[in-house]
Amino acid sequence: MGLALKKPAHVAGSAAPAIMIGCFVAFGGVLYGYDTGTIGGILAMQYWRDLFSTGYINEKDGLPDITSAQSSEIVSILSAGTFFGSLFAAPTGDILGRRIGLVVSSIVFIFGVILQTIATAIPLFVAGRFFAGFGVGLISALIPLYQSETSPKWIRGTIVGCYQLAITIGLLLAAVVNNSTKDRQDTGSYRIPIAVQFAWAIVMITGMLILPETPRYLIKRGRNEKAAKSLSRLRRLDVDHPALVEELAEIQANHEYELTLGASTYAQCFKGTLGKRLATGCLLQGLQQLTGVNFIFYFGTSFFQNSGIDNPFTVSIITNVVNIASTFPGLYLVEKWGRRPLLLFGAVGMFVCQYIVAITGTVDSSLTAQKVLIAFVCIYIFFFACSWGPVAWVVTGELFPLKARAKCLSMTTATNWLLNWAIAYSTPYMVNSGPGNANLQSKVFFIWGGFCLICCFFVWFLIYETKGLSLEQVDELYGKVDKAWRSKGFVPSVSFQEVQDLGVNARSQSLADLEAGAVRKKSVAHVDNGALHEMGEKR
């Protein structure tokens, strides 16, 4: 099989344009990661604490600070914005298109950054966080959608996974910028890290104005000629090349088949196999958050500081470097190993690490224990970054049929952000000391570890193996295979063009029955052609 990821010999054209476009679009993850990562460091900056404090004094250092309630509001409001933004991604992506939708998302994000930059008090800062979050929510749903609809099937997982890599790079950049401005005794301490985000958004807008719309979206809108030109640009093939014509015809036939099964409404998304896929996607994104990774990136600086660790900003940078480096094996393994085994591997590894961190932090506070805590937090990040980090976006990006892809993907992404918000809001109350707080400290890792154990069972029972399948073949997989653990050996055999030629009501028959009918029709046609050929020879 070989170690390298290579384009199959029978695949016509070049994958280079689609790969480069997919990797550029992944850059939007930098907006997500940077905006998510910058707040933890800003909350720990002394100048910011002095300026934004409403009179509360931190018991640990005796200096002005914000309360747990204010911290929860500031951190979690971004996630509230992203929740609503991701829900609006469906109408945005379906009406404006995937490409222009990303441009509009970036403009909304810029508005939020402006409000945060000029803020000198909590209310305006919170408003800016909400609008920036709304933009990030739109982006977080539209990017995997754009990538999955433009990528070749043999490397789709790696390309969509690059979105998570960009998120990790954004997190690292946030930690580096925060570390370089944290000691400034002016508004530049927090305004510089925030204003840097203008650059990321401008790069995103400029690129999306140049790149093509996805061919699947254009098929959905009935713009077949534009779809052919878009796919021609992505595959570097002439619009009349047989391979390109065949791919477009299959996309169109599959879309028309799905439409015969039911209208493209939100209610339809919760029915039949589509409802099963939606539940799988929502649970996958929710559990990704419940593994506790954003506890490290939202509150890691404060947590390490409260654990008695010197230079918490430095430790934060280290965890971010580990996060980036560990994502690369995941980008490779998602196509070589597959979705199911990689998610299982990550869940087991995270479970073990979380419990070691929880036990170590609870029973000992020595220097050795601190080193063990940091080490296993980094190992935990490795397991997350090479599995659940990228693969959650890969799987949700390829689960759904074209007619409902934007709607379903927006709901799965909204689930991610809803749990993100819940964790961001509740964590200060769970971890911090003081009246009304649970003061769990390191014990909170017992909770994250418990959810990692649940992840293992979830993957086994609900995650189908979709490696190497086109988005249309994923529909066939769910139409034929009823148990996730039986999906590994699945070989696609349906041509939706042949099913379409049958001219029967797809609702009245299973996909297997329709395939059998198409095979019978093909056999009859073959026999008739053979008989005509024999008659011609006799004459």
Side-chain angles (χ1 to χ4, degrees), residues 239-259:
V239 291
D240 55 356
H241 191 283
L244 189 142
V245 172
E246 174 69 19
E247 185 175 354
L248 270 181
E250 187 67 6
I251 292 170
Q252 187 168 1
N254 171 260
H255 178 53
E256 290 174 2
Y257 164 77
E258 287 292 338
L259 287 176

Side-chain angles (χ1 to χ4, degrees), residues 95-433:
I95 296 170
L96 300 179
R98 286 44 163 155
R99 184 177 70 93
I100 299 301
L102 284 167
V103 173
V104 171
S105 307
S106 301
I107 292 171
V108 173
F109 176 78
I110 286 174
F111 177 67
V113 171
I114 290 172
L115 295 183
Q116 290 178 79
T117 305
I118 64 176
T120 55
I122 289 175
L124 187 58
F125 194 80
V126 167
R129 293 272 297 164
F130 177 83
F131 282 105
F134 195 91
V136 168
L138 288 166
I139 288 167
S140 64
L142 291 173
I143 286 177
L145 181 61
Y146 185 97
Q147 290 175 308
S148 64
E149 290 189 348
T150 55
S151 304
K153 64 182 181 181
W154 62 273
I155 200 171
R156 184 178 63 242
T158 300
I159 293 174
V160 178
C162 285
Y163 175 53
Q164 177 66 22
L165 176 64
I167 294 172
T168 65
I169 292 171
L171 288 165
L172 174 62
L173 290 172
V176 170
V177 176
N178 280 341
N179 193 48
S180 27
T181 66
K182 70 181 189 297
D183 296 323
R184 290 178 64 111
Q185 294 305 307
D186 56 26
T187 57
S189 60
Y190 71 92
R191 280 178 170 161
I192 291 172
I194 292 170
V196 164
Q197 296 173 103
F198 286 118
W200 316 142
I202 290 168
V203 169
M204 190 70 188
I205 291 171
T206 304
M208 293 315 300
L209 290 174
I210 299 170
L211 298 183
E213 182 55 87
T214 77
R216 286 177 170 88
Y217 169 75
L218 294 169
I219 287 287
K220 178 181 170 75
R221 303 296 289 182
R223 302 171 191 167
N224 293 3
E225 284 189 16
K226 289 185 176 180
K229 290 178 182 177
S230 173
L231 192 61
S232 171
R233 188 172 169 187
L234 291 167
R235 301 290 184 262
R236 203 174 282 170
L237 291 170
D238 292 333
V239 291
D240 55 356
H241 191 283
L244 189 142
V245 172
E246 174 69 19
E247 185 175 354
L248 270 181
E250 187 67 6
I251 292 170
Q252 187 168 1
N254 171 260
H255 178 53
E256 290 174 2
Y257 164 77
E258 287 292 338
L259 287 176
T260 64
L261 300 179
S264 175
T265 63
Y266 277 99
Q268 196 69 31
C269 294
F270 295 90
K271 298 177 181 178
T273 60
L274 185 53
K276 176 181 178 180
R277 290 191 249 182
L278 180 60
T280 299
C282 289
L283 286 169
L284 178 62
Q285 289 284 16
L287 285 169
Q288 188 208 50
Q289 289 299 311
L290 290 169
T291 61
V293 68
N294 277 327
F295 169 74
I296 302 298
F297 296 114
Y298 280 161
F299 300 101
T301 305
S302 303
F303 172 74
F304 292 132
Q305 200 170 37
N306 293 335
S307 298
I309 294 170
D310 295 330
N311 300 318
F313 277 92
T314 304
V315 175
S316 178
I317 290 175
I318 291 170
T319 57
N320 278 287
V321 170
V322 171
N323 195 18
I324 291 176
S326 303
T327 304
F328 285 99
L331 298 182
Y332 174 77
L333 291 172
V334 70
E335 291 298 349
K336 276 297 178 182
W337 202 0
R339 283 61 160 158
R340 271 174 64 84
L342 190 53
L343 286 171
L344 277 171
F345 168 76
V348 172
M350 288 189 293
F351 166 71
V352 173
C353 291
Q354 297 276 26
Y355 269 74
I356 291 174
V357 170
I359 293 167
T360 303
T362 301
V363 303
D364 195 355
S365 59
S366 66
L367 180 61
T368 302
Q370 291 175 13
K371 290 179 179 177
V372 170
L373 188 146
I374 294 171
F376 275 92
V377 164
C378 289
I379 296 171
Y380 155 74
I381 290 171
F382 162 77
F383 280 109
F384 175 86
C386 74
S387 60
W388 281 74
V391 180
W393 298 107
V394 171
V395 171
T396 53
E398 59 195 15
L399 269 179
F400 308 110
L402 178 58
K403 70 173 183 179
R405 188 169 295 137
K407 292 182 178 67
C408 291
L409 196 51
S410 75
M411 286 188 276
T412 61
T413 308
T415 304
N416 181 296
W417 286 115
L418 180 64
L419 270 296
N420 188 301
W421 169 82
I423 291 167
Y425 185 82
S426 62
T427 293
Y429 296 107
M430 293 164 61
V431 176
N432 293 348
S433 58

Side-chain angles (χ1 to χ4, degrees), residues 486-497:
R486 295 174 181 165
S487 62
K488 186 179 179 181
F490 172 76
V491 178
S493 56
V494 168
S495 165
F496 285 98
Q497 295 173 71

Side-chain angles (χ1 to χ4, degrees), residues 509-526:
Q509 299 182 46
S510 69
L511 187 57
D513 291 337
L514 290 169
E515 181 187 12
V519 170
R520 284 194 299 272
K521 182 176 179 180
K522 202 172 181 180
S523 299
V524 170
H526 178 73

